[in-house]
Amino acid sequence: MRRRGAEAGRDGGTTREAALRPSLRPALAASLAAALAVGVALTGCATDGDQVGPRFITPPLIRYSSVLWPVPLELIDAQPGSRVRITASLDASRGTWTSAASYDVGADGTVDLARDKPLFAPFAEPDSAGLFWSLRGPSLGPVDLAQQWMHDTNPVTLTASDGDRVVARRTFRLEGLGGTLRGRTVYTHDLVPAGDGAALPPHETHEDQPVGRFYDASSIERPTGPAVLMFDDPSPGASADFTAALLSQFGASVFVVPMTSADGVHVSTVTDAGTISAILDWMDRLAAVDARHIFVYGTGASEQLAIWAANRFPTRLHGLFAGAGPAELLCLAGSSASPVFEGSVGVPCERSPGVGTTAAPPLVGVNGPVVLTCGEEDRVFPGACDVQLELTGTRTPRAGDKLLVGSHAAHAVTVPPGLPIALPAPGDGSGADGQATEQARIQFWNAVGQLLLQAVLS
């Protein structure tokens, strides 16, 4: 495929990464990230090889999904020296989404969207996925949002126009990663080993209740693999409806503990340590789960619960993925009630982040890698990056540890890449940048994917 111009610094262009101790050389990390992107989100076909004239081309065996890493995308055989306007449009049952950018065509008649700087666009730097993640359309509720981007197939059409003349058009079918994901609701009675009626979790001995949902990522080729204990982040795009499917694509089974939050900082759900212990016991008994590699995941309001679990069960949890939220255990919003109980006793909590006497919980006991992330322009929890920096100081760096600080990134740095969800609009006055937030998402999921892939291969 033809290339021109200097290489643009894509990874980390607006994301400042501080590695507690680098586990991979940058080139190897970039190669692995590319392999993950192609293997997870992309498989399929390019344009008709017999087509002539201006057209969009991608490498062979590429098909776009709604969770999308930047991949090569070019407009070729256009009029050299002209300026084209490329519009992305999606007409779906729930409304219409659009985005657009202009590009100057080079002397070879090519626009390389991965390398050429856009003009009059919602993103300032070269980005071959920019016209997809910058789509803007109607505001949807949580159920419709997940259905639209994680289950439906969305035909996004790119149209290149030179003035009033259409010169090229191509439709990309964005397939939702959650379309084939099948989960199992796990109830209290499921957690009890056969023949052990005395092992019910506390507070649930008299009523059978759902405690979470399990997604099995095992296959005939890999019957056993890593797992992720996820304290769900209910914020748009970051919840298990979006992230469980991606974790499963990386080869990890996922157990989702449901959480709610009214303000994005405090959780509104009560968790019992005995129940979490029983969940870990249950996963230990599954042939699909490699008990040596169970990670705990919590972002936004649920970060505090993931950190609590990593400290409470240090020998059973291999690593931690967290960010964009408070580290200390916060009381339920507007009260002094704890969200975590040990039997009938509430674990001490703080009413507000950063104003109590509790220091950042130490992460020294986490046996495996720790990946932390935040956006410097987080308006939901403005202290998010201070929290992550303080957390890193509680731990001697280990292989795989990363602190990812998204310069100019907004709160939603853990939404899977490519999704046009929870991104700041240009000029909205927040100080955050949509492209910087998207790049922070790529950094975070590259780091998570690398560690899970290593666990799969181990």
Side-chain angles (χ1 to χ4, degrees), residues 279-314:
I279 290 171
L280 292 172
D281 290 341
W282 181 80
M283 285 199 288
D284 284 350
R285 296 192 294 269
L286 296 179
V289 173
D290 174 5
R292 303 168 304 159
H293 294 106
I294 299 179
F295 298 81
V296 61
Y297 181 110
T299 63
S302 295
E303 176 177 1
Q304 56 182 296
L305 297 174
I307 293 171
W308 162 79
N311 281 289
R312 177 63 177 77
F313 304 100

Side-chain angles (χ1 to χ4, degrees), residues 350-362:
E350 301 291 349
R351 291 178 64 91
S352 298
V355 299
T357 59
T358 304

Side-chain angles (χ1 to χ4, degrees), residues 188-447:
T188 304
H189 75 269
D190 294 317
L191 302 181
V192 183
D196 189 356
L200 286 168
H203 302 308
E204 299 178 358
T205 55
H206 303 296
E207 184 177 355
D208 192 26
Q209 300 176 346
V211 293
R213 193 160 181 81
F214 181 71
Y215 300 91
D216 186 346
S218 63
S219 64
I220 295 176
E221 296 79 11
R222 295 196 178 276
T224 302
V228 175
L229 172 65
M230 174 185 289
F231 292 94
D232 199 10
D233 178 350
S235 59
S239 72
D241 289 334
F242 302 88
T243 55
L246 183 50
L247 291 167
S248 180
Q249 291 286 335
F250 282 133
S253 298
V254 185
F255 193 108
V256 179
V257 180
M259 290 288 138
T260 57
S261 174
D263 61 3
V265 178
H266 298 76
V267 294
S268 309
T269 311
V270 176
T271 299
D272 191 283
T275 301
I276 301 303
S277 179
I279 290 171
L280 292 172
D281 290 341
W282 181 80
M283 285 199 288
D284 284 350
R285 296 192 294 269
L286 296 179
V289 173
D290 174 5
R292 303 168 304 159
H293 294 106
I294 299 179
F295 298 81
V296 61
Y297 181 110
T299 63
S302 295
E303 176 177 1
Q304 56 182 296
L305 297 174
I307 293 171
W308 162 79
N311 281 289
R312 177 63 177 77
F313 304 100
T315 62
R316 309 189 67 184
L317 294 170
H318 173 66
L320 168 68
F321 306 133
E328 65 264 58
L329 192 65
L330 298 182
C331 305
L332 300 178
S335 74
S336 58
S338 178
V340 176
F341 277 75
E342 296 270 3
S344 59
V345 179
V347 176
C349 59
E350 301 291 349
R351 291 178 64 91
S352 298
V355 299
T357 59
T358 304
L363 297 181
V364 66
V366 181
N367 292 319
V370 171
V371 175
L372 303 174
T373 188
C374 66
E376 286 190 333
E377 300 298 333
D378 190 325
R379 293 294 178 265
V380 176
F381 181 51
C385 285
D386 291 337
V387 165
Q388 312 314 321
L389 288 168
E390 187 178 358
L391 282 170
T392 62
T394 68
R395 172 180 173 85
T396 301
R398 302 189 185 188
D401 284 3
K402 286 185 181 293
L403 169 62
L404 305 170
V405 179
S407 300
H408 306 296
H411 172 74
V413 291
T414 61
V415 175
L419 296 177
I421 299 172
L423 288 165
D428 65 1
S430 68
D433 177 74
Q435 190 168 34
T437 305
E438 172 67 10
Q439 290 179 344
R441 295 173 176 181
I442 291 172
Q443 291 279 355
F444 176 69
W445 285 104
N446 279 352

Side-chain angles (χ1 to χ4, degrees), residues 157-215:
T157 298
L158 296 190
T159 302
S161 302
D162 184 352
D164 296 331
R165 182 171 62 92
V166 174
V167 299
R169 178 177 284 128
R170 180 176 171 184
T171 296
F172 298 83
R173 298 179 62 80
L174 308 186
E175 297 184 359
L177 288 185
T180 58
L181 188 67
R182 297 292 180 267
R184 166 192 174 185
T185 300
V186 179
Y187 293 84
T188 304
H189 75 269
D190 294 317
L191 302 181
V192 183
D196 189 356
L200 286 168
H203 302 308
E204 299 178 358
T205 55
H206 303 296
E207 184 177 355
D208 192 26
Q209 300 176 346
V211 293
R213 193 160 181 81
F214 181 71
Y215 300 91

Side-chain angles (χ1 to χ4, degrees), residues 62-152:
I62 293 288
R63 183 174 67 242
Y64 287 75
S65 99
S66 57
V67 175
L68 178 64
W69 272 255
V71 294
L73 172 61
E74 295 178 288
L75 173 68
I76 65 170
D77 290 347
Q79 180 64 41
S82 64
R83 176 171 291 181
V84 295
R85 185 70 169 168
I86 302 179
T87 301
S89 60
L90 165 64
D91 293 318
S93 60
R94 297 175 184 83
T96 298
W97 282 260
T98 60
S99 184
S102 296
Y103 293 88
D104 288 331
V105 180
D108 61 354
T110 299
V111 174
D112 186 339
L113 278 73
R115 298 172 184 264
D116 292 345
K117 192 176 182 68
L119 306 169
F120 313 111
F123 47 96
E125 299 300 325
D127 189 337
S128 62
L131 288 168
F132 298 94
W133 60 253
S134 65
L135 288 166
R136 293 295 180 267
S139 177
L140 300 179
V143 174
D144 283 341
L145 197 66
Q147 181 65 39
Q148 178 75 47
W149 299 110
M150 297 306 294
H151 294 276
D152 292 350

